[in-house]
Amino acid sequence: MTLSLFSKEQGASTLITLVVYDFLQNHFSAFKLIQSIYRGDGKALRFVRRTVVLGVETLIICGWRYWLNGETEPDFIFDQNPAGFAADRFTRMFSVTWVYCLYIRDAFYPQYLSVDWSGRSIPLITDLGDIRVVGVLALWL
């Protein structure tokens, strides 16, 4: 589990996925969970404890990763991150947000995971006619 945070998309979403799965399996509704906590239901209290433990573990491991990598910023070039280096502001904003849309999709339906989403593996969004603009706007709303 700890080592998963040193990978890319999969590691960043592993602990979140565990909490969501646990919640859906045992409670399915935030309202029911809160009611169960107020009733002192042991199952709900154990869920909260597990969630807090996973959250603290995630923060500690992220801090450890930050410490191991040093405090310097990564040295990216255009070929590694074309969306971040795009000259047009529209292209930069929509293409970077599209990557977040893909991460959300992968969290719910992880069929298209890749060991490396860098470079030109995700085409840039360059105009409003691109169908992916709908997904970006939906995320912003």
Side-chain angles (χ1 to χ4, degrees), residues 72-129:
T72 59
E73 293 184 13
D75 197 16
F76 291 117
I77 59 174
F78 178 82
D79 290 333
Q80 294 171 321
N81 186 2
F85 283 94
D88 181 32
R89 187 175 190 177
F90 173 87
T91 300
R92 223 177 21 252
M93 287 175 45
F94 276 78
S95 297
V96 169
T97 306
W98 177 247
V99 173
Y100 294 130
C101 292
L102 294 177
Y103 288 158
I104 292 169
R105 181 204 62 194
D106 290 343
F108 290 103
Y109 187 65
Q111 178 179 357
Y112 301 106
L113 294 178
S114 172
V115 295
D116 191 8
W117 282 115
S118 67
R120 300 189 188 277
S121 60
I122 301 173
L124 298 177
I125 298 175
T126 56
D127 61 73
L128 283 172

